[in-house]
Amino acid sequence: MKKFVVSVLVILSALALFAVTVTPVFDVSGEVGFELLLDESALDINSLVDIDLTVEIPFSTTSGNLSIGLKLNPEVTVGEPVDWDPTTAATHTHTAEFSYKDILDFVQYEEEAWLLRYEPNAIKLSDYTVNQFTDAEGALKFGLKKYNLSLELADLKGNEVDKHATGTLAFPEGWIFGAKYDLGISEEIEGFVATAFKFEDKGNNRFSIEGNLSKSPLPGEETVDLVFALLNEEETSPSTVATATNAYRVYVDYEYPVTVDGITLKPHASFKAQEGLKTVFAPEVAKDTDKKIDWPDAREIGAGFDLEAKVDPFKVGVEDTFKFIFLDMDNPEFKLNLKPYLEYAVEDFKMGVDSKMDFTFADPLEYSITPHLYTVLGIDNLEVAGDLFYFITNPDDEPDANKFAYMANITYTHNVIQTGLHLGNEVWDDDDGAVGAHDLTDLHWYLFLKASVKF
């Protein structure tokens, strides 16, 4: 509610200040729908509500443009039953909350040469300076557009200023200052240099700098990412001592695909060395639950030579990467990842086979091999698909366990409605797909009916 009041006050103030006619721009996107699931256990109906409504209000002035963005992202939270007793109660209720988050999305004033922007959170500069996981109450960004330069000041704490406090003159606390320069040397060069200084209190601060190159005049595709960071922490009690932690990241990736007469060759190589990032950026690491940023310590060199040939209706190829991992210099590791594949595809039918193979060269040799056969048949709106997997590992933790997994899917689609059947014995991982197998007769199945509309 507090943010909503602030948003209304900002709009009214802008209208009074500029006294101009405005035309709000509505940007509505999202997805709504449901999914009905039925298996041997019970019936479930799951709702899908993902609505993102952004209202941008531009104000034209004699010298510049003021725009305000409001983001209405509804959140519905349904809790556990509060009065459910299966032995006595015939009905029960759920606690439910309906709210909006981040009412004020941004306020921005823009001239031809510069802009000033406010957001009620941190404004991302780069992964290792100020990123989307940096916890801030609000941030101001000042951009010099002609010079490709952005400056940001973010408030980490909020509501800590006492206008009439007495005390010694001191440096402000609880903020982070960042700067970013986008490389605009030529159309052939893309990248940036960013830096940030985080000052939490008198003895705790963090400095980081990152340089990134994503395009250069060199043939092929490359990524270069260089990071240095330093965290200072003062002693907090007689039993603790002041510490200074360094972190660094050196990452280089290069590939050069070439296609001639339907044959694609792609040599590729990479180098990664990084340490200390999880310590220096601990608050951001804790919020990055999906691991969208590369944090763990690593030292490795990788190289490979991918090959793919297409002769309709066939496609055949192999993906490979050999890695030398030397994070522990006393026990370096050598790994090889291979994936050969063959596919036959015509208009309504596809069949293929691939085999993911991972080898760790140790004593004894460790390997994981997963041959995978798949087929898909489409008849109008009906699709029938099947998959077979075989899981081979060494050393084998469960030598008597079943290695053979299978699954089948029958799906019928009509407009926005989709219904079908899934049957299989696979062990499923949300990130990696099928990762194992139950006994051959230990089947699971479910029927589904779902509909969704994206807008």
Side-chain angles (χ1 to χ4, degrees):
M1 182 57 69
K2 178 182 176 182
K3 291 183 178 180
F4 179 75
V5 173
V6 171
S7 304
V8 174
L9 290 176
V10 168
I11 296 172
L12 293 177
S13 300
L15 287 171
L17 181 62
F18 293 97
V20 294
T21 302
V22 299
T23 303
V25 179
F26 294 89
D27 183 7
V28 184
S29 63
E31 184 177 6
V32 295
F34 72 91
E35 182 179 44
L36 183 149
L37 294 169
L38 173 67
D39 67 2
E40 64 271 16
S41 300
L43 172 69
D44 287 328
I45 301 177
N46 303 316
S47 62
L48 171 62
V49 180
D50 182 10
I51 302 175
D52 189 355
L53 169 61
T54 301
V55 183
E56 184 172 342
I57 306 175
F59 300 85
S60 298
T61 67
T62 56
S63 60
N65 294 290
L66 175 70
S67 58
I68 298 170
L70 305 178
K71 179 178 289 186
L72 305 180
N73 186 220
E75 287 188 330
V76 181
T77 303
V78 179
E80 294 296 326
V82 296
D83 59 358
W84 173 246
D85 184 348
T87 62
T88 59
T91 60
H92 64 279
T93 59
H94 291 263
T95 58
E97 294 182 359
F98 183 83
S99 61
Y100 288 103
K101 65 177 183 180
D102 297 338
I103 293 291
L104 179 62
D105 190 25
F106 69 90
V107 178
Q108 179 170 299
Y109 180 78
E110 185 173 0
E111 294 273 2
E112 182 179 355
W114 59 273
L115 64 85
L116 183 64
R117 182 183 182 93
Y118 168 79
E119 290 187 19
N121 47 44
I123 302 172
K124 179 180 177 180
L125 294 179
S126 74
D127 284 349
Y128 300 98
T129 54
V130 182
N131 61 47
Q132 65 268 39
F133 303 107
T134 301
D135 195 7
E137 297 292 324
L140 286 174
K141 174 185 175 182
F142 179 66
L144 296 171
K145 297 190 291 183
K146 290 187 177 181
Y147 300 100
N148 299 328
L149 180 64
S150 298
L151 305 176
E152 178 181 352
L153 181 64
D155 183 7
L156 299 176
K157 295 182 179 180
N159 303 316
E160 77 277 14
V161 172
D162 186 347
K163 292 188 289 186
H164 302 287
T166 59
T168 58
L169 184 64
F171 204 53
E173 301 175 0
W175 55 267
I176 183 169
F177 175 75
K180 181 179 181 181
Y181 174 70
D182 291 295
L183 299 178
I185 301 173
S186 69
E187 294 182 355
E188 295 182 332
I189 296 179
E190 294 180 2
F192 64 82
V193 177
T195 185
F197 181 71
K198 181 180 179 182
F199 190 86
E200 292 186 286
D201 53 45
K202 296 178 178 62
N204 297 280
N205 52 72
R206 183 179 76 193
F207 168 77
S208 62
I209 184 169
E210 178 176 5
N212 184 281
L213 181 67
S214 55
K215 184 179 180 181
S216 76
L218 293 174
E221 303 170 7
E222 64 281 328
T223 299
V224 180
D225 197 33
L226 306 176
V227 178
F228 173 77
L230 172 65
L231 175 67
N232 289 317
E233 296 178 289
E234 72 172 357
E235 56 184 272
T236 56
S237 67
S239 61
T240 62
V241 296
T243 60
T245 305
N246 293 323
Y248 71 92
R249 168 178 164 86
V250 179
Y251 177 77
V252 181
D253 182 79
Y254 181 77
E255 59 184 47
Y256 186 52
V258 178
T259 301
V260 179
D261 296 332
I263 299 177
T264 301
L265 307 175
K266 188 174 73 174
H268 55 89
S270 65
F271 171 81
K272 180 168 69 173
Q274 59 189 45
E275 290 185 87
L277 297 171
K278 295 181 72 173
T279 300
V280 172
F281 294 90
E284 287 85 351
V285 173
K287 294 183 66 176
D288 184 13
T289 55
D290 293 332
K291 309 305 178 188
K292 294 183 178 180
I293 299 177
D294 186 10
W295 303 111
D297 292 352
R299 278 200 297 267
E300 62 184 43
I301 299 173
F305 193 91
D306 298 349
L307 173 65
E308 181 178 273
K310 291 182 179 180
V311 181
D312 289 336
F314 292 97
K315 179 174 67 176
V316 61
V318 60
E319 300 172 359
D320 66 277
T321 301
F322 181 80
K323 286 187 177 182
F324 170 48
I325 302 172
F326 53 101
L327 182 61
D328 182 358
M329 295 298 294
D330 295 329
N331 296 286
E333 293 184 2
F334 298 89
K335 292 188 176 182
L336 176 62
N337 306 113
L338 285 174
K339 185 181 177 181
Y341 56 90
L342 170 65
E343 184 176 276
Y344 170 85
V346 291
E347 183 176 355
D348 298 320
F349 178 74
K350 178 170 64 177
M351 176 178 286
V353 61
D354 58 57
S355 183
K356 182 180 178 183
M357 298 183 284
D358 299 322
F359 299 91
T360 300
F361 297 95
D363 188 14
L365 176 69
E366 299 178 10
Y367 59 83
S368 172
I369 304 175
T370 307
H372 172 213
L373 175 66
Y374 61 91
T375 182
V376 180
L377 173 64
I379 305 174
D380 294 329
N381 295 330
L382 180 67
E383 182 179 280
V384 181
D387 293 82
L388 297 175
F389 299 87
Y390 194 75
F391 301 95
I392 308 169
T393 59
N394 181 50
D396 196 339
D397 295 331
E398 300 181 58
D400 297 328
N402 177 48
K403 312 294 184 185
F404 186 75
Y406 58 93
M407 59 183 180
N409 293 281
I410 301 175
T411 305
Y412 180 79
T413 304
H414 176 70
N415 204 347
V416 298
I417 298 176
Q418 192 175 72
T419 185
L421 165 69
H422 173 88
L423 176 71
N425 75 326
E426 81 284 356
V427 176
W428 191 265
D429 182 274
D430 289 336
D431 296 325
D432 302 321
V435 294
H438 296 294
D439 291 339
L440 288 174
T441 57
D442 188 7
L443 298 179
H444 64 264
W445 66 270
Y446 61 85
L447 295 168
F448 64 90
L449 172 66
K450 58 184 178 180
S452 63
V453 177
K454 294 183 179 181
F455 50 91

